[in-house]
Amino acid sequence: MTEKPKDVNFFTKAHNVAMQIPYGMVTSYGAIAKYLGAAKSARMVGWAMNAAHNNAAIPAHRVVNRKGLLTGKFHFDGTNLMQQLLENEGVEVKNHQIVDLEKYFWNPQENLDL
DNA sequence: TCTATGACTCCGG
DNA sequence: CCCGGAGCCATAG
């Protein structure tokens, strides 16, 4: 139990948003962080995804940085696993980077009705 | 308690 | 878009 009984709010919300990412769509850490009200804490979203490793219900592979680059691929089991997962969902990925990011981008603030 | 680090983002050049 | 630098905040040691 590495988690503390206090302040799991940020992670919980981050997990909640990540879980709501629709199939074949992707979003950025900053978008999630902004939705959480902590646009400056985009890094924490990444941390939350790290914790999400323990939660298979959280598609962390659908979360990329603002450039559409699969920055988290390194933390996955394999090197290209993350890319394979996205391609499997119909997202065109090239060299660990999403081709038409805007096309697959999913904004939580517009879709989750803040 | 303090220091270092990081799945990021923004800003100026 | 690329490059370098700064800001941010939680976790680990």
Side-chain angles (χ1 to χ4, degrees):
Chain A
M1 304 25 171
T2 53
E3 60 184 308
K4 296 189 180 232
K6 73 186 255 188
D7 192 8
V8 258
N9 199 342
F10 194 92
F11 276 40
T12 302
K13 288 193 288 189
H15 292 172
N16 187 26
V17 176
M19 265 187 287
Q20 292 172 80
I21 302 176
Y23 181 94
M25 299 287 280
V26 295
T27 189
S28 63
Y29 303 94
I32 297 175
K34 193 165 190 166
Y35 176 75
L36 300 180
K40 299 154 189 206
S41 304
R43 281 179 156 137
M44 300 300 90
V45 179
W47 255 168
M49 294 298 105
N50 188 20
H53 253 253
N54 204 21
N55 196 336
I58 303 181
H61 60 271
R62 291 187 191 146
V63 185
V64 296
N65 70 348
R66 77 179 195 86
K67 288 175 288 195
L69 186 63
L70 309 181
T71 49
K73 66 172 191 162
F74 215 53
H75 292 263
F76 274 77
D77 187 16
T79 52
N80 58 339
L81 176 62
M82 189 171 181
Q83 176 174 335
Q84 296 299 313
L85 288 170
L86 288 171
E87 289 184 325
N88 184 40
E89 297 189 355
V91 179
E92 188 177 2
V93 181
K94 199 57 141 184
N95 192 18
H96 305 284
Q97 183 172 0
I98 297 174
V99 181
D100 294 316
L101 179 61
E102 298 181 15
K103 178 176 169 185
Y104 302 108
F105 193 82
W106 177 81
N107 190 337
Q109 274 194 124
E110 294 181 358
N111 293 274
L112 293 185
D113 183 19
L114 185 62

